[in-house]
């Protein structure tokens, strides 16, 4: 066989192999968010009803507020996460537009400790947090018991961070984190002679996150697609963020919520066009924490909050009003003055 024929045969063989490979590798379409949420919620609630937890109360030690989850084998002596009352179950409802529909997620979380101290503070949902955590995903496991298939919801640890050194920006992590961390506060900490830091009275909790507020259909290293997640976490410190660079930290641009438009709630939000957003003073569709001109008067916020004598920005609490028609609003929120 001459070289030309060999080349032709190899080319045909290559096409055949490629064609077979393409036939066998199909891409699974994403599941519907609403249907997956129903499954996730059922699995989360079943996990909470069939497991009990042990909380390490060990102030001053690394394992303080660590949590372990164990399958209930003796209902008479082991109280489920669902039924225990030491750390009452709390919920937060989060509405997200997915698949062109509004889906309202229920986030369960437990406050093991809220966090306290003379400098204790809560992060806004766009701040940075220093946190230690342990993450698990939950999944249904089918086992045969006495010739019958029994489904148990189990958890599997995929990651743990004990001594964190890096802050996480809450706009760059899964949505579940940015919804729950503002419910907690930092504590206190002291530096040690060996260069380590000891944390006390920090906020600590457990959050249960449906996959739609986590990675959904994207498989991550150690986490299968469509996995609900559980995080046991400790909030050590926060860093404030000025998202639009206007000289005002974003948490100070939290004006209110839809339910309480004049009461800050720890969350700054972007809402669809046409929906009244209390965090958007001028109603231009850009919330203040992302808007360089908060009152739409064509003067930047950064210029309006400067002391005209020193050229330095006023501290937020002392930004003056100007007696215009803004009903006592600070200067940068009142379009009638500059």
């Amino acid at each position: 066989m001459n070289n030309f024929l060999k080349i032709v045969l190899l080319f045909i063989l290559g096409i055949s192999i490629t064609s077979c490979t393409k036939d066998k590798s199909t891409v699974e379409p994403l599941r519907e968010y609403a249907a997956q949420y129903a499954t996730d919620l059922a699995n989360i609630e079943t996990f909470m009803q069939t497991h009990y937890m042990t909380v390490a109360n060990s102030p001053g030690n690394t394992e303080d507020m660590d949590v372990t989850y164990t399958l209930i084998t003796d209902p008479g002596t082991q109280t489920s996460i669902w039924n225990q009352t030491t750390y009452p179950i709390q919920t937060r409802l989060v509405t997200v537009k997915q698949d062109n529909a509004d889906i309202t997620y229920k986030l369960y979380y437990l406050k093991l400790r809220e966090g306290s101290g003379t400098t204790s503070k809560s992060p806004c949902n766009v701040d940075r947090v220093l946190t230690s955590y342990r993450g698990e995903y939950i999944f249904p496991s089918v086992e045969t018991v006495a010739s019958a298939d029994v489904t148990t919801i189990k958890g599997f640890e995929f990651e743990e961070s004990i001594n964190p050194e890096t802050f996480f920006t809450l706009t760059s992590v899964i949505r579940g984190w940015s919804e729950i961390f503002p419910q907690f506060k930092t504590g206190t900490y002291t530096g040690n002679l060996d260069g380590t830091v000891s944390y006390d009275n920090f906020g600590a909790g457990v959050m249960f996150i449906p996959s739609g507020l986590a990675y959904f259909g994207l498989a991550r290293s150690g986490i299968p697609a469509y996995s609900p997640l559980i995080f046991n976490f400790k909030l050590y410190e926060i860093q404030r963020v000025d998202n639009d660079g206007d000289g005002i930290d974003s948490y100070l641009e939290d004006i209110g919520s839809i339910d309480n438009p004049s009461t800050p709630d720890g969350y700054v939000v972007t809402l669809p066009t046409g929906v009244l957003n209390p965090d958007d003073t001028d109603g231009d569709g850009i919330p203040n924490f992302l808007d360089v001109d908060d009152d739409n008067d064509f003067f930047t916020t950064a210029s309006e909050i400067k002391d005209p004598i020193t050229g330095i920005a006023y501290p937020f609490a002392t930004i003056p009003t100007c007696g215009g028609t803004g009903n006592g609003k600070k200067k940068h929120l009142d379009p009638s003055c500059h």
Side-chain angles (χ1 to χ4, degrees):
M1 185 182 296
N2 60 40
N3 290 335
F4 176 77
L5 289 177
K6 288 182 180 179
I7 293 173
V8 171
L9 288 174
L10 287 173
F11 178 75
I12 294 173
L13 180 61
I15 292 176
S16 300
I17 293 173
T18 302
S19 299
C20 292
T21 303
K22 287 182 178 179
D23 289 341
K24 292 180 179 179
S25 61
T26 57
V27 178
E28 179 185 354
L30 283 177
R31 301 174 186 174
E32 292 185 356
Y33 279 93
Q36 184 60 41
Y37 168 56
T39 299
D40 290 349
L41 184 62
N43 287 341
I44 287 171
E45 291 180 345
T46 299
F47 181 91
M48 296 172 72
Q49 292 162 0
T50 57
H51 288 74
Y52 70 94
M53 67 180 188
T54 305
V55 181
N57 188 358
S58 183
N61 295 314
T62 304
E63 63 270 17
D64 187 32
M65 293 291 108
D66 279 358
V67 180
T68 55
Y69 317 101
T70 308
L71 186 66
I72 292 174
T73 56
D74 183 2
T77 60
Q78 299 164 342
T79 305
S80 69
I81 299 171
W82 189 262
N83 291 323
Q84 58 81 35
T85 56
T86 305
Y87 309 105
I89 296 173
Q90 303 191 49
T91 58
R92 177 168 174 78
L93 300 180
V94 181
T95 300
V96 183
K97 184 172 288 295
Q98 295 168 327
D99 290 337
N100 295 317
D102 287 339
I103 299 176
T104 299
Y105 289 93
K106 180 186 292 185
L107 276 169
Y108 289 111
Y109 67 99
L110 311 176
K111 278 191 179 180
L112 309 179
R113 180 192 291 148
E114 184 174 21
S116 61
T118 55
T119 60
S120 183
K121 51 193 176 295
S122 294
C124 178
N125 63 322
V126 295
D127 283 332
R128 299 187 184 102
V129 296
L130 182 68
T131 175
S132 68
Y133 62 90
R134 189 182 78 252
E136 299 184 22
Y137 67 84
I138 63 174
F139 63 98
S141 175
V142 180
E143 300 175 357
T144 301
V145 179
S147 301
D149 289 340
V150 177
T151 300
T152 303
I153 305 300
K154 294 184 175 181
F156 187 85
E157 181 181 319
F158 62 84
E159 188 174 7
E160 183 176 31
S161 172
I162 298 176
N163 297 303
E165 297 180 354
T166 303
F167 283 78
F168 288 98
T169 303
L170 290 178
T171 54
S172 301
V173 294
I174 59 175
R175 178 70 179 266
W177 272 36
S178 65
E179 294 294 337
I180 297 301
F181 269 104
Q183 301 297 321
F184 293 79
K185 298 179 180 179
T186 59
T188 58
Y189 55 89
T190 54
N192 303 317
L193 294 177
D194 61 0
T196 61
V197 178
S198 295
Y199 298 94
D200 295 290
N201 305 313
F202 48 80
V206 179
M207 63 177 95
F208 301 84
I209 307 176
S211 65
L213 297 179
Y215 300 111
F216 196 58
L218 178 65
R220 303 278 293 184
S221 177
I223 309 175
Y226 306 108
S227 293
L229 306 180
I230 304 174
F231 285 96
N232 169 210
F233 62 92
K234 307 169 190 180
L235 177 58
Y236 291 150
E237 185 55 287
I238 70 174
Q239 289 179 344
R240 298 300 189 185
V241 176
D242 177 6
N243 282 268
D244 57 2
D246 63 0
I248 301 176
D249 287 337
S250 292
Y251 82 101
L252 294 172
E253 302 197 80
D254 168 26
I255 297 174
S257 64
I258 293 177
D259 295 330
N260 297 289
S262 60
T263 303
D265 63 346
Y267 298 84
V268 289
V269 295
T270 301
L271 296 177
T273 302
V275 178
L276 179 63
N277 185 350
D279 292 334
D280 179 10
T281 298
D282 55 17
D284 64 353
I286 306 173
N288 293 356
F289 80 101
L290 295 175
D291 195 344
V292 296
D293 179 8
D294 292 336
D295 55 5
N296 201 28
D297 61 357
F298 303 100
F299 289 83
T300 65
T301 297
S303 66
E304 290 189 282
I305 66 172
K306 286 183 179 179
D307 184 325
I309 298 176
T310 65
I312 300 173
Y314 291 104
F316 181 79
T318 61
I319 296 174
T321 60
C322 69
T325 60
N327 297 320
K329 292 180 180 178
K330 292 181 181 294
K331 184 178 179 180
H332 67 290
L333 300 177
D334 184 349
S336 68
C337 64
H338 312 297

